[in-house]
Amino acid sequence: MKCLRIFATPDGESHFGEVDIPTTLTRSFPNGAPVELSAHYEASRSAYYEASRVRFVHIPAGVREAGFHNPPSRLLAIWLDGEVEFETSDGEMRRVSAGKAVLVEDTHGKGHISRHPPEGQNVIQVVLPHGLDAPSA
């Protein structure tokens, strides 16, 4: 499963990439069709408990742009409705439609801009456990 990635290089510039979340064809139910499942990603006993947190976010109508910002920690953002546009500090822009996930890892540096639809938007943020690692930039 491919996922858009926003990350920061050591010089603090943000960029886009892609991460491939490995899946395996698995029959989940005795008479059901096989589906592609990823591994379970769980926080280890020594990891911070916040690795298992989920947050529901509503971006109110009229909030069109969040200027350059960084996420509070590595997270997976799953957009529930509308379309969001991201801009990284290198000037590249990408649009993400509802139902897509974005791996947001630019926790340092300049951050990124996000632009939202005029009617508002809903997103689920999953603070990532250790284990869902993307290749280093």
Side-chain angles (χ1 to χ4, degrees), residues 81-94:
D81 49 26
E83 183 177 75
V84 63
E85 179 181 81
F86 291 106
E87 182 177 343
T88 52
S89 64
D90 64 3
E92 189 176 353
M93 289 188 255
R94 301 267 180 102

Side-chain angles (χ1 to χ4, degrees), residues 10-126:
D11 64 359
E13 295 293 333
S14 60
H15 306 277
F16 289 111
E18 192 173 77
V19 64
D20 188 17
I21 301 171
T23 59
T24 304
L25 193 61
T26 307
R27 191 175 305 276
S28 296
F29 305 101
N31 296 322
V35 296
E36 298 274 338
L37 294 177
S38 76
H40 287 277
Y41 295 99
E42 300 173 8
S44 68
R45 295 236 185 258
S46 63
Y48 295 104
Y49 286 110
E50 73 175 1
S52 61
R53 291 191 308 176
V54 173
R55 183 186 321 212
F56 295 85
V57 180
H58 173 71
I59 299 162
V63 177
R64 298 281 292 149
E65 181 174 298
F68 279 103
H69 63 282
N70 302 93
S73 59
R74 289 178 71 232
L75 57 86
L76 191 63
I78 301 127
W79 299 93
L80 300 177
D81 49 26
E83 183 177 75
V84 63
E85 179 181 81
F86 291 106
E87 182 177 343
T88 52
S89 64
D90 64 3
E92 189 176 353
M93 289 188 255
R94 301 267 180 102
R95 289 178 181 244
V96 176
S97 58
K100 299 292 183 184
V102 179
L103 178 60
V104 188
E105 299 184 298
D106 59 337
T107 57
H108 69 280
K110 296 179 182 176
H112 62 274
I113 296 171
S114 57
R115 295 183 183 95
H116 307 277
E119 64 274 8
Q121 196 165 37
N122 296 292
V123 62
I124 296 173
Q125 293 179 342
V126 180

